[in-house]
Amino acid sequence: MGIIMAVNKKQFIKQMAKNGHTTQLACREYLNLALDTFYELLRDGKEIKLYGILSAELKTMPERMARNPQTGKECMVPEHKRVKIKISQTLRDKLNN
């Protein structure tokens, strides 16, 4: 397996504009709108299901005890939220063919 190159937002928009034969400005606006909507729906407690791609939902993680790996000292991790993302089987199949 070769080196995996990450694509940042700017590079993603450039590729999106090239593939869609449109401007980078238009692609940036649509991507920002999509991301803002994604964040808003998660904040409102909605589960997002993009069939064939992924599903995402906001989970509340309870307060728990943890251990600092450097010192070994126990500490309390406060309740917090995290995003749970599940990749669809369709996407997995497309990537593994």
Side-chain angles (χ1 to χ4, degrees):
M1 182 176 206
I3 297 173
I4 297 174
M5 299 293 292
V7 175
N8 65 29
K9 187 176 176 182
K10 186 175 181 178
Q11 293 165 327
F12 184 84
I13 290 168
K14 187 175 181 178
Q15 186 67 41
M16 191 173 155
K18 180 181 172 187
N19 292 350
H21 306 290
T22 187
T23 66
Q24 290 183 36
L25 178 61
C27 290
R28 184 179 315 111
E29 289 173 357
Y30 284 121
L31 180 60
N32 286 337
L33 177 62
L35 293 174
D36 289 344
T37 303
F38 192 87
Y39 304 146
E40 179 183 336
L41 290 170
L42 286 175
R43 268 193 311 267
D44 292 346
K46 304 277 198 293
E47 182 178 0
I48 300 169
K49 291 187 177 190
L50 302 176
Y51 292 99
I53 302 172
L54 59 83
S55 65
E57 63 182 310
L58 194 62
K59 292 281 195 180
T60 301
M61 305 306 293
E63 183 177 311
R64 66 182 177 88
M65 288 298 293
R67 187 175 307 276
N68 181 327
Q70 290 181 337
T71 64
K73 183 179 175 184
E74 285 191 344
C75 60
M76 184 62 68
V77 176
E79 179 179 280
H80 61 281
K81 297 183 186 307
R82 71 172 186 91
V83 178
K84 178 182 175 187
I85 296 178
K86 183 179 177 187
I87 304 300
S88 75
Q89 188 61 47
T90 304
L91 180 57
R92 279 193 196 114
D93 292 343
K94 285 183 179 185
L95 296 175
N96 289 313
N97 286 337

